[in-house]
DNA sequence: CAATTAGTTAAGTTAATACTTAACTATCAC
DNA sequence: GTGATAGTTAAGTATTAACTTAACTAATTG
């Protein structure tokens, strides 16, 4: 999933899809590459679960999958907050020992 | 930054760092690869801003950078919620027209 | 039904990644 | 100072990723 987010063209496609569903050619329009290249990116996005597609007639409609997006979001969030809680506890500890020092009458 | 998150070994290192600072060898320990390979991953993580390092004596200490983490988190969050708001508005619209239909006396 | 449009498949090329080993440089412990 | 520890640098290899073009299929449109 992060692999899929790693490429700027694919992030561009996701950005576009965050504004609403789009066909393959609509996704391709702003990108400076051939259609097959876009399709390959799209396949990766679909394999990662970030995008769902459905073919109606001859046009394939693509939409963002909010569930997969929030899954990636959560992974980062949990690592970040895990680390921040540690930082906070360290801060508390430092404040605690400083207070102790003051109570014991040490010079600050 | 997402490029840095794309590799499983690097995510492993981030996971480790979310539990607290670590030296290069501590990061390398659980990984089945040579030390230089780990250093290369670490350089990428540092270049991406996700990890900060500092060398004291002969050991390099690595810590997670919460700011960079939340930046990646926010990118995903904004695309996801942007899309979800669209979905909600669509839902409202459908409910609205259904209500209109009922008001107009159409059979459901 | 002929031409266009929308997308797909296959195959090949180039460039970037993820490693490796070997040799080297500091720092620390005795 | 000798030897072990922690990490670094350099250089090469092998796999993967990001494209390309060419040829094709299947829906529309005039």
């Amino acid at each position: 999933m992060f692999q899929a987010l790693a490429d700027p063209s694919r992030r561009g496609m996701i950005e576009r899809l965050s504004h609403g569903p789009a066909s393959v050619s609509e996704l391709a329009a702003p990108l400076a590459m051939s259609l097959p290249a876009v399709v390959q990116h799209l396949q990766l996005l679909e394999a990662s679960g970030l995008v769902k597609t459905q073919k109606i007639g001859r046009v394939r409609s693509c939409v963002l999958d909010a569930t997969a997006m929030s899954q990636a979001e959560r992974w980062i969030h949990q690592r970040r907050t895990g680390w921040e809680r540690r930082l906070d506890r360290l801060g508390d500890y430092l404040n605690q020992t400083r207070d102790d020092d003051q109570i014991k009458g040490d010079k600050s």
Side-chain angles (χ1 to χ4, degrees), chain A:
Chain A
M1 245 174 60
F2 285 114
Q3 186 59 258
L5 288 168
D7 184 87
S9 303
R10 286 194 293 265
R11 280 198 304 275
M13 293 164 79
I14 286 181
E15 169 74 42
R16 167 62 186 82
L17 290 176
S18 75
H19 300 329
S23 70
V24 174
S25 347
E26 282 167 351
L27 288 178
L31 300 175
M33 66 178 69
S34 68
L35 237 203
V38 173
V39 171
Q40 282 167 17
H41 281 305
L42 187 57
Q43 282 168 352
L44 237 158
L45 284 172
E46 204 173 355
S48 77
L50 290 168
V51 168
K52 302 284 181 198
T53 81
Q54 184 189 8
K55 194 165 183 177
I56 297 173
R58 63 180 167 178
V59 17
R60 177 172 298 276
S61 181
C62 312
V63 297
L64 216 53
D65 185 298
T67 307
M69 290 288 280
S70 69
Q71 204 176 322
E73 193 182 335
R74 184 155 49 252
W75 190 91
I76 301 179
H77 183 79
Q78 285 172 349
R79 268 78 218 164
R80 177 175 68 83
T81 54
W83 169 231
E84 282 176 342
R85 271 206 314 280
R86 277 209 141 244
L87 275 184
D88 286 351
R89 283 202 298 272
L90 177 61
D92 290 350
Y93 169 75
L94 291 178
N95 286 334
Q96 180 60 40
T97 51
R98 195 202 52 199
D99 292 349
D100 288 353
D101 289 350
Q102 287 172 344
I103 288 162
K104 285 176 192 161
D106 285 14
K107 53 191 152 190
S108 67

